């Protein structure tokens, strides 16, 4: 199977490469925006901000599976750059889908809790009404719809509160600030399930294996949108507190800061965040027979890796 991974330098793309599971399932070609790979070497150049450049690239690589781990993820900046965010997260995804539909390829794509408004107080079902609050959420919803409209075989995995031991994310920011300050003020009225990229990669590979083992009737049931997130719930304040508790226990931080809960109103940002970001992941567990453990399980694993690497 010819596999094409887009966004190989991102949080999720790097985890795919470190994991190695895609490479064991076929001939893997990787791409980044400029072709350079974070850990050295080169891949293909795939710039999703120029969607019209993608068909020629796909014609050359001829993938049977496209894993799109590339995205515009600057949530606040998207408020000023909505056209760019929509090109990357929306139009480019439609181009991938239309190519895949014409060539019988499967697309695996990732979306977000930000497609919902966060106003309800129970986990969002896959088919719950969408209502993005900002430009980023609108751009990601456009991508979901473009992929659906392309008629390509696809698996869209919505995830939330994504973090890893590398890259730019909440966990890394907390550890950096926690080493510099005695006290941090963290929002406590936004709720979700922090999801580490390792869980997303493992879940994706389990879903891919199930797809490959399925006949066309089963694939029709599996195709479409699923929620690939950790189980359980916390707030950003709760997540920060757990990060520092682990960091202290593992010796990553000598003296963790005090974490003070504040409201979203006390920490205004250009983009409004959904207050309730819990996604119902029961369908994913059922369809792909894959357990999605509590978010604290993933945090322990990531913190142990950081401690082992001396960070």
């Amino acid at each position: 199977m010819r596999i094409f991974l887009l966004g190989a330098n991102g949080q999720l793309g790097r985890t795919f490469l470190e994991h190695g599971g895609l490479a064991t399932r076929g001939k893997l070609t990787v791409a980044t925006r400029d072709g350079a790979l974070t850990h050295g070497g080169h891949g293909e150049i795939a710039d999703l901000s120029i969607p019209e450049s993608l068909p020629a690239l796909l014609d050359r690589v001829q993938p049977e599976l496209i894993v799109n781990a590339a995205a515009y993820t600057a949530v606040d900046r998207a408020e000023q750059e909505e056209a760019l965010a929509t090109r990357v997260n929306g139009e480019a995804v439609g181009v991938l889908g239309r190519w895949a539909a014409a060539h019988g390829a499967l697309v695996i794509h990732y979306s977000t809790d930000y497609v919902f408004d966060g106003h309800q107080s129970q986990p969002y079902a896959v088919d719950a009404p969408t209502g993005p609050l900002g430009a980023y959420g609108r751009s990601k919803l456009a991508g979901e719809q473009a992929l659906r409209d392309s008629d390509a075989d696809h698996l869209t995995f919505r995830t939330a509160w994504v973090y890893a031991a590398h890259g730019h994310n909440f966990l890394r920011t907390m550890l950096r600030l926690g080493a510099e300050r005695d006290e941090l003020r963290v929002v406590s009225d936004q709720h979700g399930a922090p999801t580490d990229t390792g869980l997303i990669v493992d879940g994706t590979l389990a879903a891919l294996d199930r797809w490959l083992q399925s006949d066309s009737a089963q694939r029709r049931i599996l195709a479409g949108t699923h929620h690939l997130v950790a189980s359980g719930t916390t707030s950003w304040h709760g997540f920060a507190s757990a990060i520092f508790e682990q960091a202290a226990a593992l010796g990553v931080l000598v003296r963790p800061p005090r974490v003070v809960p504040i409201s979203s109103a006390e920490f205004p940002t250009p983009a409004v965040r959904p207050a309730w970001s819990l996604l119902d992941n029961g369908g994913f567990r059922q369809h792909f027979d894959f357990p999605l453990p509590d978010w604290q399980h993933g945090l322990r694993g990531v913190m142990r890796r950081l401690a082992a690497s001396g960070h």
Side-chain angles (χ1 to χ4, degrees):
M1 181 170 56
R2 293 182 302 278
I3 303 170
F4 194 24
L5 173 66
L6 299 165
N9 282 345
Q11 275 193 106
L12 183 55
R14 282 178 62 180
T15 304
F16 267 116
L17 293 183
E18 288 168 8
H19 183 286
L22 279 178
T24 65
R25 286 163 173 81
K27 179 183 180 293
L28 179 62
T29 303
V30 303
T32 68
R33 195 165 52 215
D34 62 2
L37 295 169
T38 302
H39 291 310
H42 287 273
E44 297 284 347
I45 295 173
D47 189 344
L48 272 66
S49 70
I50 313 171
E52 61 274 17
S53 68
L54 298 174
L57 170 62
L58 294 165
D59 285 343
R60 193 169 74 252
V61 176
Q62 286 290 314
E64 295 159 279
L65 167 64
I66 300 167
V67 181
N68 181 30
Y72 179 109
T73 57
V75 174
D76 288 320
R77 203 165 69 230
E79 295 300 312
Q80 280 76 49
E81 296 183 348
E82 184 161 6
L84 174 59
T86 303
R87 276 204 306 280
V88 174
N89 293 341
E91 292 165 35
V93 178
V95 170
L96 297 176
R98 288 190 294 277
W99 189 94
H103 294 80
L106 170 67
V107 180
I108 293 178
H109 176 64
Y110 299 91
S111 192
T112 173
D113 55 307
Y114 281 62
V115 300
F116 298 112
D117 63 17
H119 292 160
Q120 71 178 41
S121 54
Q122 70 268 10
Y124 279 93
V126 166
D127 59 357
T130 52
L133 298 176
Y136 170 71
R138 287 191 292 271
S139 75
K140 293 297 285 184
L141 183 58
E144 288 188 13
Q145 291 168 337
L147 187 51
R148 210 175 296 128
D149 292 346
S150 74
D151 287 331
D153 281 339
H154 69 279
L155 297 166
T156 295
F157 298 134
R158 289 188 188 130
T159 189
W161 292 28
V162 177
Y163 69 98
H166 54 253
H168 300 288
N169 57 63
F170 182 82
L171 175 135
R172 303 248 312 167
T173 299
M174 286 299 103
L175 290 175
R176 177 173 55 79
L177 294 177
E180 299 168 358
R181 301 181 190 176
D182 295 326
E183 180 180 290
L184 293 176
R185 293 154 57 80
V186 182
V187 168
S188 63
D189 57 0
Q190 294 172 21
H191 304 273
T195 301
D196 69 286
T197 53
L199 180 63
I200 300 172
V201 166
D202 286 340
T204 298
L205 293 172
L208 173 60
D209 290 345
R210 174 57 57 93
W211 177 273
L212 294 173
Q213 293 155 11
S214 297
D215 59 25
S216 57
Q218 288 172 306
R219 287 179 176 184
R220 279 195 292 276
I221 295 167
L222 296 177
T225 305
H226 303 272
H227 288 167
L228 175 45
V229 287
S231 298
T233 176
T234 189
S235 64
W236 289 115
H237 175 268
F239 187 25
S241 300
I243 289 167
F244 292 130
E245 190 180 314
Q246 295 269 328
L250 292 166
V252 174
L253 278 184
V254 179
R255 196 184 63 194
R258 198 157 64 92
V259 187
V260 179
I262 61 168
S263 69
S264 298
E266 293 174 82
F267 188 73
T269 54
V272 180
R273 268 75 172 163
W276 186 264
S277 279
L278 280 176
L279 304 178
D280 184 343
N281 61 14
F284 187 96
R285 294 200 306 264
Q286 182 185 345
H287 279 106
F288 302 113
D289 191 25
F290 182 80
L292 293 167
D294 188 89
W295 64 270
Q296 296 193 51
H297 176 84
L299 176 61
R300 284 193 292 272
V302 170
M303 291 300 298
R304 279 197 296 268
R305 282 199 296 281
L306 279 172
S309 67
H311 284 75

